[in-house]
Amino acid sequence: MKTGTKFFKKMMVALLSAAVIATMLPTVVMAAGKNYTSATKVSFDTMYSGSITENNKVDWYKIVLTEGGFLKIRCEANICRVYYNFFQGENADTQLTNEAVSWESNTNWSNHTYQTRVAAGTYYFRVTKDSNYAYYGDYNITVSFERAGESFVEKIGGINNSFNTASTISLNKEYTGQLCGNDSKDYYKFYVPSDTTVTIPATAYITRLDWFVYDEQQNQLHSSEPWSNSTTGFSRSDITLNLKKGTYYFVAVRVSSCDGIYNFKVNVDLSGWQRDSKGWWYRNSDGSYPAFQWKQISGKWYYFDISGYITIGWKQLGGKWYHFDNNGAMQTGWLSIGGKWYCFDNNGAMQTGWVSSGGKWYYLKADGSMATNEYCGGYWLNADGTWTYQHKATWRMTNNKWWYGDNTGWYAKNQTLKIDGKNYNFNGSGYCTNP
């Protein structure tokens, strides 16, 4: 009685499991191909149902992967003994597995999952009977796939598994790769533009693998064989090398049957000033360069033109004028340029109008130059540019003649004065002779 109860419970569990899976996945019931040339092309996460009979002893399914990743094929069969075969290649060139699965005698069903990590390419899955026995029945298969997210999509056999076929990578950029049975080596090629220290942080979600670094002559500079941490499930490597300017290779190699994905980055601090035939420019740490923008470097501000070169001398930006020294650094404060004095605020913008500096007042004309020995807006500016005489002069007319003076009784005579940017001549009587 107890044995019958256990059998009934197992039977119900098997039936309920099949019912749950069937309700979760779209099901396709169709005649599968009888050989690889007529194989049924499958869609992921779709259940395919078929039957092995006296007249239909084999079914073929075609799986096309546009990128590498983790492939899982879930199988259940109401067949006493069934064979599952997995092939790779357009013509099913290589058989990767041949698995015989028997049902459980108390349920007459078998459940089996075939899973593997593979490169992009064409694969085939075959369902067939035991050739020695007349075992027939129904089966279901479901194919699911998880992409590896490789930076370089690799096909069966790999695309970068030698020095000659190495994938060219950029500095300071993260890359993702995969190692598996039909893609066991990855070669990457990078260029170091100057003598420097290179660091390569690498994380591998693989039980075990080999890292290598070679120079352009294929001399080995580094090798390590990290094992994944049993708790975290991954390994972390930090490779540091002092390299001279030149070409190098970073290589990942599969060890035994350990499959998985990895990430790495070749870090080089490329920042610094560069000079070519056109002038000076600045290279950022990632190899890029600033262009058509401001950038602060070592506490100084620079403006780089649309081609990325520094600005020297005068430059109008955003409606304001700035001045840059011969090294391209933005200037602030008082500055003598071409025999004239100019004042730039803390943000580098040229000042105009009245400016207070060091407790004294100065007047900066429309072109930014400091006024000296002249009247501006009625006020006299001394030879050093300071404003100390506070009485305001104005133009006045007597007997239809113009003269210039202030309310203290002073007026210009027997002299030439610059007033608001123009030189005026005054005779002995104080009248202007060139108004």
Side-chain angles (χ1 to χ4, degrees):
M1 183 68 178
K2 290 183 178 179
T3 303
T5 302
K6 290 181 178 178
F7 172 78
F8 177 75
K9 287 182 177 179
K10 289 184 176 180
M11 191 70 173
M12 290 302 295
V13 169
L15 291 173
L16 287 172
S17 297
V20 169
I21 293 173
T23 56
M24 293 174 61
L25 298 170
T27 303
V28 177
V29 179
M30 61 186 300
K34 303 312 170 191
N35 51 57
Y36 77 87
T37 59
S38 61
T40 297
K41 185 177 180 180
V42 303
S43 298
F44 297 136
D45 302 315
T46 298
M47 180 184 290
Y48 290 82
S49 297
S51 299
I52 298 299
T53 67
E54 178 65 31
N55 298 320
N56 182 56
K57 299 177 182 179
V58 61
D59 283 340
W60 284 78
Y61 295 91
K62 184 177 183 179
I63 304 168
V64 178
L65 303 180
T66 57
E67 57 184 314
F70 188 67
L71 184 69
K72 182 185 291 186
I73 306 174
R74 297 191 298 273
C75 313
E76 56 182 6
N78 179 222
I79 304 173
C80 182
R81 186 178 178 84
V82 64
Y83 279 84
Y84 299 118
N85 310 131
F86 189 62
F87 302 83
Q88 73 176 20
E90 284 289 344
N91 301 316
D93 310 294
T94 305
Q95 183 171 322
L96 301 180
T97 185
N98 179 31
E99 299 183 346
V101 180
S102 300
W103 68 17
E104 293 186 21
S105 59
N106 56 349
T107 64
N108 289 351
W109 278 90
S110 63
N111 287 284
H112 177 71
T113 298
Y114 175 72
Q115 53 190 25
T116 183
R117 188 170 286 280
V118 290
T122 300
Y123 298 87
Y124 295 92
F125 190 70
R126 184 175 66 183
V127 182
T128 186
K129 65 179 289 294
D130 188 322
S131 60
N132 296 318
Y133 299 94
Y135 296 145
Y136 305 115
D138 301 325
Y139 68 87
N140 302 312
I141 67 166
T142 304
V143 180
S144 60
F145 179 71
E146 181 181 340
R147 60 187 295 272
E150 295 175 284
S151 300
F152 300 93
V153 175
E154 300 214 47
K155 299 180 181 180
I156 295 171
I159 61 168
N160 59 355
N161 50 7
S162 69
F163 288 104
N164 292 334
T165 59
S167 298
T168 300
I169 61 173
S170 301
L171 301 175
N172 303 306
K173 180 180 178 180
E174 186 171 83
Y175 291 88
T176 298
Q178 172 182 254
L179 294 176
C180 58
N182 56 8
D183 179 23
S184 60
K185 294 181 181 180
D186 289 335
Y187 282 69
Y188 301 93
K189 182 179 180 179
F190 63 93
Y191 179 75
V192 178
S194 59
D195 297 0
T196 187
T197 298
V198 174
T199 59
I200 307 176
T203 302
Y205 300 87
I206 306 174
T207 302
R208 179 185 171 198
L209 81 163
D210 285 333
W211 299 124
F212 296 98
V213 178
Y214 297 89
D215 63 17
E216 191 169 14
Q217 288 71 43
Q218 301 178 19
N219 297 309
Q220 183 178 299
L221 305 179
H222 169 87
S223 68
S224 56
E225 187 178 318
W227 289 70
S228 65
N229 183 289
S230 59
T231 302
T232 63
F234 64 86
S235 64
R236 170 77 179 189
S237 302
D238 289 291
I239 303 167
T240 300
L241 297 167
N242 293 319
L243 301 181
K244 294 186 177 298
K245 177 181 178 180
T247 298
Y248 296 88
Y249 298 89
F250 179 68
V251 182
V253 179
R254 181 177 185 251
V255 176
S256 299
S257 58
C258 301
D259 298 345
I261 61 174
Y262 60 87
N263 305 308
F264 74 96
K265 182 195 295 187
V266 179
N267 285 329
V268 179
D269 186 358
L270 299 173
S271 61
W273 288 102
Q274 309 295 320
R275 188 177 187 179
D276 58 27
S277 59
K278 294 183 179 179
W280 285 96
W281 55 282
Y282 189 81
R283 184 166 56 202
N284 296 320
S285 60
D286 62 356
S288 64
Y289 60 90
F292 206 44
Q293 68 181 86
W294 288 94
K295 185 176 180 65
Q296 188 178 39
I297 303 171
S298 300
K300 297 181 179 181
W301 282 98
Y302 299 83
Y303 185 80
F304 297 88
D305 65 22
I306 194 170
S307 298
Y309 293 99
I310 62 170
T311 299
I312 295 176
W314 289 102
K315 181 72 174 180
Q316 187 178 35
L317 298 164
K320 298 179 180 180
W321 283 96
Y322 299 83
H323 195 273
F324 302 86
D325 65 18
N326 290 334
N327 295 317
M330 181 193 77
Q331 298 182 282
T332 61
W334 287 98
L335 186 66
S336 178
I337 304 173
K340 298 180 180 181
W341 282 96
Y342 298 83
C343 186
F344 302 86
D345 66 17
N346 292 333
N347 294 319
M350 184 191 75
Q351 301 296 285
T352 58
W354 289 101
V355 172
S356 177
S357 176
K360 297 180 181 181
W361 283 95
Y362 300 83
Y363 186 80
L364 304 174
K365 294 181 282 188
D367 66 355
S369 62
M370 182 184 73
T372 60
N373 288 325
E374 60 184 297
Y375 275 93
C376 291
Y379 295 100
W380 175 253
L381 285 309
N382 301 319
D384 62 359
T386 58
W387 170 55
T388 56
Y389 185 72
Q390 299 184 5
H391 300 284
K392 184 177 183 179
T394 59
W395 284 101
R396 306 167 187 224
M397 179 178 281
T398 301
N399 298 324
N400 292 322
K401 297 180 180 180
W402 288 100
W403 56 284
Y404 194 75
D406 58 39
N407 292 333
T408 66
W410 171 88
Y411 60 92
K413 60 180 179 180
N414 287 327
Q415 65 186 123
T416 298
L417 283 180
K418 179 181 283 189
I419 303 172
D420 294 327
K422 180 181 177 180
N423 289 323
Y424 293 91
N425 301 318
F426 297 89
N427 60 24
S429 301
Y431 292 113
C432 180
T433 60
N434 61 329

